[in-house]
Amino acid sequence: MASQHHKYIFVVGGVMSGVGKGIASSSIGTLLQAKGFEVNLAKVDPYLNVDAGTMNPTEHGEVFVLNSGLETDQDMGNYERFLNRDLSGTDYMTSGMIYKHVIDKERALGYHGKCVEAVPQIRDEIVRRYEHSAKINKSDISVIEIGGTVGDYQNIMFIEAARVLKIRHPDDVIFVMVSYLPIPAKIGEMKSRPTQHAVSQLASYGVYTDIIIARSERVVDARRKEKIAIACNIPAENVVSAPDIESVYDVPLNFERDKLGDIILKSLKLKQKNNAASVAGLSAWKKFAEGVKHVNKEVHIAIVGKYFTTGDFVLTDAYLSVLEAIKYSAYKLGVKPVIHTVNARDYESTKPNYKALTKFDGLLVPGGFGETGIEGKLNVIRYARENKIPYFGLCYGMQLMTIEFARNVLGMKDANTAEINPKAQDVVIDIMPDKKKKLEEGNFGGSMRLGSYPSKLKEGTLARRAYGASLVHERHRHRYEVNPAYVEKIQAAGLVFSGTSPDGRLMEIAELPQGTGTGEHPFFLGTQFHPEFLARPLNPHPLFTEFIKVASQKVKKSVKK
Ligand code: GLN
């Protein structure tokens, strides 16, 4: 029976990059899940970097961390958010990872003296990983997005490996091309020729497109669908129109309207399953996507970070998961999130414009590295603490709030993190001992404390109330930690470490007691981990929800005045 076989859907890009291949792949996942299938999504990145940890986030986008600790491309974040499930480390691979594995194996005589080449050894290693990922996930269907565009030199081997899988399992592998149909302003007509070329380029590799997702500014009309279908050798119904839309969360619903789910099942010779997931269908997702549109009151949140401009554009992808996490909690509370960027460097002068901060309902300092903008962030945190503006610190944002507290409440004027000044009088944030050794060896890749670790939460604290649990698991990515030598002093002065590692050694959450009295604050909390990596549309993160809740209460108050 066909449905017993594992199925593979390879998603490739045609014409150009940046047209939403990641969201298209994620949405295919959401659709198939709603038809009752277990789905895993995987990303193939053609980079020679062994993982995404060493890639510059302002160039490549945010580094997303999985439970396993693997540092991946931000698309993995989209996948987890759209599937509402954790993905495994086998769901991400780079060219670097594959080559390193094959070369290490060759060095260890793993090929028994054979001549080792890209074909077959590299190709077969990729095939092995495609199959392994399916097995680990115990899924029915793997949706595998091949990074880059058809015609790139870098991704050929991944496409070649997919071709081999198709030869082995002709009924179980299909290819979806996410392509782009431009409407040149001077011509005013939607052009399908570049897509036809992309399809024929793919065919020159021996790989035939089954379905085309036609991205464009506008809806692709029947005439063009027909034209593409004839030129590309597929039924017209297999050309799915994907026009630009307001909200990415509508993509699965639009795909469903164009029957993409059924088209995929037909191509894979599958029948919709009859189980709880298929009965629920897309209803939970629909409710969420509708909710996004029915928010009224605004909540203004500023992300105080490092921002880089390229020409007229500000790059914000580096904080993608944070932006998403804020949105999900705001939607859950029925408020409209308006997210602002505050450049930390603007708060480094001797007379920063603090008044500009009062228009925000909440301030957030996200994760980061190095010295840029640090003093500015510290100034903003002090302002938030003293003026009782809700503040949420993520990783570096928690370390900096501890430094700010040490400097301005405990009077340790020189307090700092070893990351910036290891010779400071009070190194309140210090390097983790095992990480120090790695850095001394020049070993930067994968050298942080990475992935999911448990934290136990203190009774009666804000964190404990927000989570409604005493033990939580969160994802980490850091090298430095609160120096254990300062924990007692800091706590005695009023900053509570409400979350710690189960052995009590590592400080995971810092907070001021929630309230309006002296030494209290409506929301002043930081986490050593990255809660944003676990925030999902259908499952917003409790700490973000509490932060937005308090921030929007402030909105209410100011409206009354
Ligand atoms: N730079 C800090 C550290 O390595 C914080 C890292 C982060 O914010 N992800 O500990």
Side-chain angles (χ1 to χ4, degrees):
M1 239 168 51
S3 62
Q4 284 172 343
H5 293 214
H6 185 84
K7 305 286 182 176
Y8 297 89
I9 301 171
F10 287 95
V11 180
V12 297
V15 180
M16 62 190 215
S17 66
V19 294
K21 191 151 44 87
I23 294 293
S25 306
S26 307
S27 302
I28 289 174
T30 309
L31 273 191
L32 295 173
Q33 231 178 16
K35 297 206 176 283
F37 295 93
E38 282 295 329
V39 183
N40 74 293
L41 278 149
K43 169 91 194 238
V44 165
D45 243 341
Y47 296 94
L48 280 177
N49 303 61
V50 173
D51 56 46
T54 52
M55 293 185 204
N56 182 347
T58 44
E59 229 172 73
H60 184 73
E62 169 189 88
V63 176
F64 190 82
V65 181
L66 302 180
N67 279 341
S68 68
L70 188 68
E71 297 168 285
T72 73
D73 180 87
Q74 60 188 10
D75 272 328
M76 293 298 289
N78 283 327
Y79 298 169
E80 288 198 335
R81 292 188 277 264
F82 274 63
L83 288 181
N84 197 18
R85 64 166 277 193
D86 298 339
L87 289 170
S88 99
T90 56
D91 292 325
Y92 181 71
M93 57 188 108
T94 68
S95 297
M97 212 184 263
I98 312 283
Y99 274 84
K100 187 169 184 305
H101 176 91
V102 170
I103 292 169
D104 286 349
K105 187 169 165 186
E106 182 277 324
R107 292 289 78 186
L109 277 185
Y111 294 101
H112 312 295
K114 264 200 214 127
C115 177
V116 179
E117 298 183 74
V119 175
Q121 277 84 10
I122 293 288
R123 181 194 64 198
D124 291 354
E125 174 58 21
I126 300 172
V127 174
R128 187 188 72 76
R129 283 176 189 243
Y130 288 158
E131 289 175 331
H132 183 61
S133 144
K135 203 152 88 206
I136 292 282
N137 279 289
K138 295 194 183 74
S139 57
D140 303 307
I141 306 174
S142 302
V143 182
I144 302 173
E145 178 189 348
I146 298 185
T149 310
V150 170
D152 288 352
Y153 178 75
Q154 294 94 312
N155 61 17
I156 283 183
M157 208 52 75
F158 292 108
I159 298 176
E160 167 66 4
R163 184 187 70 82
V164 168
L165 211 56
K166 170 89 180 172
I167 294 173
R168 288 192 197 150
H169 312 283
D171 288 339
D172 304 325
V173 179
I174 62 166
F175 292 87
V176 175
M177 180 181 285
V178 180
S179 194
Y180 190 69
L181 279 75
I183 309 174
K186 284 268 153 49
I187 303 172
E189 187 200 332
M190 188 182 284
K191 291 296 193 186
S192 66
R193 185 60 57 92
T195 295
Q196 296 175 32
H197 277 301
V199 170
S200 65
Q201 169 107 43
L202 189 61
S204 74
Y205 303 152
V207 171
Y208 303 102
T209 308
D210 297 284
I211 294 165
I212 295 175
I213 295 179
R215 288 277 300 109
S216 190
E217 259 172 63
R218 276 184 263 146
V219 173
V220 181
D221 60 7
R223 170 172 291 202
R224 270 156 204 85
K225 279 191 180 179
E226 203 57 56
K227 209 165 144 187
I228 297 170
I230 288 177
C232 301
N233 238 347
I234 58 174
E237 62 168 18
N238 287 23
V239 181
V240 174
S241 171
D244 288 350
I245 41 171
E246 274 295 293
S247 157
V248 292
Y249 314 123
D250 282 337
V251 176
L253 306 174
N254 282 6
F255 280 178
E256 177 65 358
R257 211 165 297 132
D258 262 17
K259 305 239 172 325
L260 178 60
D262 293 338
I263 294 166
I264 289 176
L265 294 193
K266 196 169 147 199
S267 309
L268 285 172
K269 302 185 173 49
L270 283 175
K271 283 212 167 64
Q272 174 158 338
K273 286 200 174 180
N274 279 324
N275 56 18
S278 70
V279 172
L282 277 171
S283 59
W285 190 269
K286 232 178 243 163
K287 203 170 146 225
F288 160 73
E290 273 308 305
V292 170
K293 292 165 200 154
H294 297 114
V295 284
N296 37 51
K297 182 176 79 175
E298 291 180 346
V299 62
H300 292 258
I301 305 293
I303 301 187
V304 188
K306 283 198 239 183
Y307 293 96
F308 293 91
T309 45
T310 62
D312 291 342
F313 299 94
V314 180
L315 297 175
T316 54
D317 260 7
Y319 305 129
L320 183 70
S321 295
V322 180
L323 301 179
E324 292 300 296
I326 293 172
K327 289 183 198 165
Y328 305 151
S329 288
Y331 297 144
K332 180 179 175 172
L333 298 166
V335 290
K336 183 177 178 191
V338 186
I339 302 173
H340 303 261
T341 54
V342 165
N343 197 333
R345 275 170 295 183
D346 295 344
Y347 286 84
E348 301 206 307
S349 66
T350 42
K351 264 196 167 301
N353 179 12
Y354 287 122
K355 233 180 129 219
L357 296 177
T358 55
K359 63 173 185 282
F360 304 123
D361 306 309
L363 298 164
L364 185 150
V365 173
F369 295 85
E371 215 171 340
T372 316
I374 290 310
E375 291 302 320
K377 287 182 188 173
L378 287 167
N379 283 339
V380 170
I381 296 170
R382 177 179 195 165
Y383 189 81
R385 183 176 55 77
E386 290 177 347
N387 294 281
K388 304 212 188 296
I389 302 176
Y391 170 79
F392 196 8
L394 311 177
C395 204
Y396 217 3
M398 176 267 203
Q399 298 175 354
L400 293 171
M401 88 183 233
T402 309
I403 295 171
E404 187 279 319
F405 191 83
R407 281 191 190 178
N408 302 316
V409 177
L410 282 160
M412 301 175 181
K413 288 287 164 243
D414 190 40
N416 217 326
T417 160
E419 183 169 357
I420 296 175
N421 182 10
K423 296 204 175 75
Q425 205 169 339
D426 293 292
V427 179
V428 292
I429 304 295
D430 205 359
I431 186 140
M432 308 178 80
D434 55 322
K435 307 303 173 221
K436 191 171 179 184
K437 197 163 158 275
K438 290 202 174 178
L439 289 197
E440 280 165 1
E441 289 161 358
N443 200 350
F444 290 96
S447 66
M448 288 185 253
R449 178 171 179 246
L450 290 165
S452 183
Y453 289 96
S455 303
K456 65 169 195 240
L457 308 179
K458 225 177 241 167
E459 248 347 294
T461 59
L462 162 55
R464 175 79 176 74
R465 277 194 301 279
Y467 275 107
S470 54
L471 190 79
V472 295
H473 291 78
E474 293 279 359
R475 296 182 187 174
H476 297 69
R477 184 173 190 250
H478 64 116
R479 246 182 221 115
Y480 298 84
E481 58 164 330
V482 174
N483 186 343
Y486 285 86
V487 167
E488 230 173 86
K489 256 187 236 168
I490 292 171
Q491 296 220 87
L495 188 67
V496 180
F497 291 110
S498 51
T500 63
S501 54
D503 64 5
R505 222 195 63 76
L506 291 165
M507 300 306 114
E508 293 278 13
I509 308 177
E511 64 176 75
L512 280 179
Q514 194 170 29
T516 47
T518 326
E520 294 180 334
H521 195 287
F523 189 101
F524 190 75
L525 182 142
T527 58
Q528 182 57 82
F529 48 81
H530 290 268
E532 70 272 25
F533 291 148
L534 288 184
R536 311 260 163 89
L538 304 184
N539 207 1
H541 194 286
L543 290 181
F544 276 91
T545 306
E546 181 64 21
F547 171 57
I548 301 295
K549 196 165 113 196
V550 174
S552 31
Q553 277 158 2
K554 191 183 156 240
V555 178
K556 239 195 234 154
K557 250 194 283 157
S558 54
V559 170
K560 263 192 220 151
K561 260 192 228 162

